[in-house]
């Protein structure tokens, strides 16, 4: 198959997205419209200028713009619009199931409570489910640059909404904020029946991946690409099949790898790890899920069987019910 044929085939497959920050799907058009609606002053004159600002040196330089961009999200309808636009992209990209992260502290710190964003998210998710059978779950992520006490307060505030939240996560600036800082809140989340994921090994060293595994008891590691530096960790990830949610365009945009040719996802896959492809913050990093697959098709020696394995992994690594998994995996088998 040519690269173009591979892309068309890939686009037609049902897929799952497991690492997506809903605040990172805020497109410049919606950001500008909401800024006007709420009279928020943005340092950008037009959409072109917003896009030009998206040139990042590292994770922190992105996070500064990302938290600032989120300040235009204020009422229930803003959060509905944000979620709705992302779910429409899922439909377009044939993402049949998405596990979507949100950062409550980014909003509660500005006086916007769970009742506002949860209502907007839920309305969009239910509408997409009714209109085209979109399946989606929510992951509540704690900001690791804030204290554990703040994360615990957030978990308490989320208690009336736990029916609509499947897992907790850990994101924001990784270096200097190791997983061990959040042991207590992750234990509390586990005892409330929540699943657990954490960003680790994006900019942080392999020790942070071990920390997420041993101290937070995670069911998936977000990113995890720096695991390659520790052979014992690679062996553990291979044996345990603990999934890594890898985000190729994010990793090159944030200079975890200088060029896509240097990305290690294919190496990790060939070593037998349970790796998946995801978009992270698509509006900031230049593409949604299919674009991330296309980027690795363009720049790595990836073949059809690798792609099928990555898509199969995305279903296996998800928190969807076993019955649904079996159904989708049998559909996928028909595409070999
Ligand atoms: N928040 C949104 N995207 C993130 C990323 N790639 N790493 C850490 N925190 C994030
Ligand atoms: Zn992320």
């Amino acid at each position: 198959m040519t690269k173009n044929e591979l892309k068309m085939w890939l686009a037609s497959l049902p897929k799952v997205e497991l690492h997506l920050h809903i605040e990172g799907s805020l497109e410049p058009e919606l950001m500008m419209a909401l800024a006007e609606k709420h009279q928020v002053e943005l340092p950008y004159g037009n959409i072109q200028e917003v896009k030009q600002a998206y040139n990042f040196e590292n994770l922190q330089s992105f996070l500064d713009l990302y938290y600032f961009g989120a300040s235009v999200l204020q009422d229930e309808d803003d959060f509905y619009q944000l979620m709705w636009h992302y779910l429409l992209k899922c439909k377009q990209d044939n993402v049949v199931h998405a596990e979507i992260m949100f950062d409550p502290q980014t909003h509660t710190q500005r006086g916007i409570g769970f009742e506002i964003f949860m209502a907007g998210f839920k309305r969009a998710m239910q509408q997409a489910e009714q209109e085209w059978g979109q399946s989606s779950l929510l992951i509540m992520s704690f900001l690791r640059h804030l204290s554990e006490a703040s994360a615990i307060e957030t978990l308490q505030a989320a208690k009336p909404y736990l029916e609509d939240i499947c897992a907790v996560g850990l994101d924001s600036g990784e270096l200097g904020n190791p997983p061990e800082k959040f042991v207590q809140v992750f234990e509390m989340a586990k005892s409330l029946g929540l699943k657990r994921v954490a960003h680790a090994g994006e900019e942080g060293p392999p020790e942070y991946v071990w920390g997420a595994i041993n101290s937070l008891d995670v069911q998936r590691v977000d990113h995890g690409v720096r695991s390659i530096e520790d052979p014992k960790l690679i062996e553990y990830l291979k044996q345990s099949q603990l999934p890594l949610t890898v985000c190729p365009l994010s990793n090159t945009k944030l200079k975890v790898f200088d060029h896509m040719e240097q990305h290690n996802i294919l190496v990790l896959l060939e070593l037998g790890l349970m790796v998946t492809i995801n978009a992270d913050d698509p509006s900031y990093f230049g593409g949604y899920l299919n674009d991330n697959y296309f980027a690795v098709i363009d720049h790595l020696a990836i073949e059809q069987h690798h792609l099928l394995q990555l898509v199969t992994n995305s279903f296996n690594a998800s928190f969807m019910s076993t019955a649904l998994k079996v159904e989708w995996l049998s559909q996928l088998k028909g595409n070999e």
Side-chain angles (χ1 to χ4, degrees), residues 18 99 220 243 274 276 312-319 325:
L18 300 173
E99 300 186 359
R220 290 200 298 254
M274 172 69 86
T276 62
T312 302
N313 288 354
S314 76
F315 284 92
N316 279 321
S318 78
F319 296 140
K325 239 179 231 188

Side-chain angles (χ1 to χ4, degrees), residues 228 234-235 238 241 265-273:
I228 198 88
I234 289 292
E235 190 53 30
K238 181 180 169 177
Q241 290 290 290
I265 186 159
L266 188 52
V267 175
L268 296 173
L269 186 69
E270 292 207 306
L271 283 168
L273 273 64

